[in-house]
Amino acid sequence: MLEGKSALVTGASRGIGRAIALELAKNGAKVAVNYAGSEQKANEVVEEIKKNGGEAFAIQANVSSDADVKDMVKQVIDTFGSLDILVNNAGITRDNLLMRMKEEEFDEVIQTNLKGVFLTTKAVTRQMMRQKSGRIINIASIVGVSGNAGQANYVAAKAGVIGLTKTTAKELATRNVLVNAVAPGFITTDMTDKLPEEAKESMLSMIPLNRLGNPEDIARVVRFLASDDANYMTGQTLHVDGGMVM
Amino acid sequence: MADVFERVKKVIVDRLDVDESKVTMEASFKDDLEADSLDVVELVMELEDEFDMEISDEEAEKISTVGDAVNYINSIQ
Ligand SMILES: NC(=O)c1ccc[n+]([C@@H]2O[C@H](COP(=O)([O-])OP(=O)(O)OC[C@H]3O[C@@H](n4cnc5c(N)ncnc54)[C@H](OP(=O)(O)O)[C@@H]3O)[C@@H](O)[C@H]2O)c1
């Protein structure tokens, strides 16, 4: 499905990004596995891809650093010779009630979750415009659509990502670079493992499909958006949340 | 090697699909050659390839006419 394509997945050492990297590779794409600090975890993802006959390498970069991002994108293009798919997945949470939220908590989340998407998108644009083809898939969040108490920073960043997705889609449409977002609901990863049990219970009661999602539920939708099956879609945000927000 | 203007002209004619006679030193990309901002960004990228050089974003923003591009390239080479 993605044979001959090359992909960069940010934050692919763990959780959803890891599942996306594995899914794209399983479908034939060469994958650059980005991470911030978890070198070993990233190497494990690369090993798993290679074990299954795929091509991949791990690359460290902090997505909120312009210099890091530029180096990373250059290295991916030098290694693979092209860059067809970018998945902006890296993200963090620093939850707190608005009243208690510190300026640093707000800034940190915006830097990684929103500015990181801007920097990485900007860095790949030149290559994709040259190729006259490309796919950018941004991992937003359903709370970027609905709002969520305790996550003012995160929600602002994710709503920002949805807006950025639409604008990038409009700017790059004539160059056949398609830009879409996926808004996951409640997915079991390290990010959500740290939530208290009551919070998980109350989340579950809001999910019509009555189960938490797993990273593969998101990865398969990303694979669809990266494929030729999604040729006529751009600027959209797909809710993959078990029906939480309709 | 053809002179810089001729090479720039060829890139423009190929890329923007305009009549050669319209491509003068004074011609403005946006007003005379019907290029949108993205066309200009792409043209700059093609000129980088043609002349094997890098044009920074700051310099690229100053390029609005064919002459601007030719003069910039001449000043570097
Ligand atoms: N889990 C959910 O329920 C859920 C719901 C909606 C949206 N999302 C979104 O889905 C994405 C992935 O979430 P997840 O649950 O898989 O998170 P996770 O398990 O905590 O993994 C986060 C990943 O992002 C990387 N990362 C963090 N900061 C980075 C930076 N500055 N530069 C580069 N990489 C960085 C981490 O790398 P290291 O391992 O090196 O730290 C890790 O690979 C995030 O954008 C998140 O907001 C998740």
Side-chain angles (χ1 to χ4, degrees):
Chain A
M1 200 175 204
L2 302 172
E3 282 76 18
K5 306 271 186 210
S6 54
L8 165 60
V9 182
T10 68
S13 46
R14 294 184 281 123
I16 296 173
R18 175 179 185 278
I20 293 170
L22 294 174
E23 177 71 22
L24 296 181
K26 199 172 89 186
N27 284 273
K30 297 174 272 191
V31 183
V33 175
N34 160 255
Y35 64 97
S38 313
E39 183 176 4
Q40 200 191 331
K41 292 237 155 99
N43 285 332
E44 283 166 23
V45 176
V46 169
E47 284 317 311
E48 186 158 347
I49 290 173
K50 287 187 173 160
K51 201 178 69 198
N52 296 320
E55 196 180 328
F57 72 98
I59 182 160
Q60 196 281 331
N62 176 351
V63 294
S64 62
S65 150
D66 192 33
D68 275 20
V69 167
K70 281 185 176 147
D71 283 350
M72 167 171 71
V73 168
K74 184 172 183 310
Q75 205 174 316
V76 175
I77 294 167
D78 287 349
T79 308
F80 292 150
S82 70
L83 181 47
D84 305 295
I85 302 159
L86 165 67
V87 183
N88 282 308
N89 166 81
I92 56 169
T93 49
R94 296 286 181 270
D95 296 352
N96 218 336
L97 289 173
L98 182 73
M99 281 182 61
R100 303 229 171 81
M101 188 174 288
K102 297 190 187 66
E103 189 179 349
E104 302 84 72
E105 289 171 334
F106 186 84
D107 287 346
E108 229 182 306
V109 170
I110 297 288
Q111 294 271 332
T112 303
N113 298 13
L114 180 55
K115 187 177 145 189
V117 178
F118 162 73
L119 291 176
T120 317
T121 299
K122 187 174 169 200
V124 305
T125 300
R126 176 181 282 260
Q127 175 68 20
M128 289 187 176
M129 279 176 69
R130 275 222 167 96
Q131 293 171 184
K132 295 233 167 3
S133 79
R135 296 293 166 91
I136 299 174
I137 299 147
N138 296 327
I139 307 303
S141 170
I142 202 63
V143 300
V145 179
S146 63
N148 195 23
Q151 293 197 303
N153 47 4
Y154 185 82
V155 169
K158 293 299 186 181
V161 167
I162 292 171
L164 189 58
T165 301
K166 293 177 188 177
T167 294
T168 315
K170 286 190 175 177
E171 286 194 15
L172 301 180
T174 55
R175 272 65 187 175
N176 194 31
V177 176
L178 311 188
V179 189
N180 292 288
V182 174
F186 200 115
I187 311 299
T188 48
T189 66
D190 295 346
M191 188 177 270
T192 45
D193 279 351
K194 59 188 179 200
L195 290 172
E197 221 30 67
E198 315 89 76
K200 288 189 204 170
E201 288 294 321
S202 83
M203 282 284 195
L204 195 55
S205 70
M206 297 187 305
I207 305 173
L209 289 182
N210 200 35
R211 68 168 175 91
L212 305 185
N214 52 54
E216 291 72 28
D217 288 320
I218 305 305
R220 283 187 293 268
V221 175
V222 171
R223 179 248 290 153
F224 159 71
L225 288 173
S227 77
D228 287 343
D229 288 343
N231 269 344
Y232 197 52
M233 275 184 72
T234 195
Q236 303 304 311
T237 299
L238 295 183
H239 297 186
V240 186
D241 64 349
M244 237 165 119
V245 175
M246 298 188 187
Chain B
M1 192 160 57
D3 88 325
V4 170
F5 174 68
E6 289 302 325
R7 286 166 71 193
V8 170
K9 182 152 111 181
K10 183 166 183 326
V11 171
I12 294 169
V13 169
D14 286 350
R15 156 71 38 206
L16 297 179
D17 204 15
V18 289
D19 206 83
E20 264 195 56
S21 62
K22 280 186 146 183
V23 186
T24 61
M25 283 291 272
E26 295 74 37
S28 146
F29 289 111
K30 288 188 184 155
D31 300 332
D32 304 315
L33 302 174
E34 288 168 47
D36 64 20
S37 340
L38 266 178
D39 288 323
V40 178
V41 173
E42 268 193 342
L43 258 177
V44 168
M45 287 180 347
E46 296 215 355
L47 292 174
E48 289 179 331
D49 288 347
E50 170 72 22
F51 293 94
D52 195 20
M53 62 194 293
E54 261 202 44
I55 305 176
S56 68
D57 288 347
E58 291 72 36
E59 290 301 331
E61 273 169 29
K62 293 186 206 145
I63 296 176
S64 71
T65 66
V66 176
D68 292 339
V70 171
N71 292 335
Y72 178 73
I73 293 163
N74 274 328
S75 76
I76 296 293
Q77 296 210 318

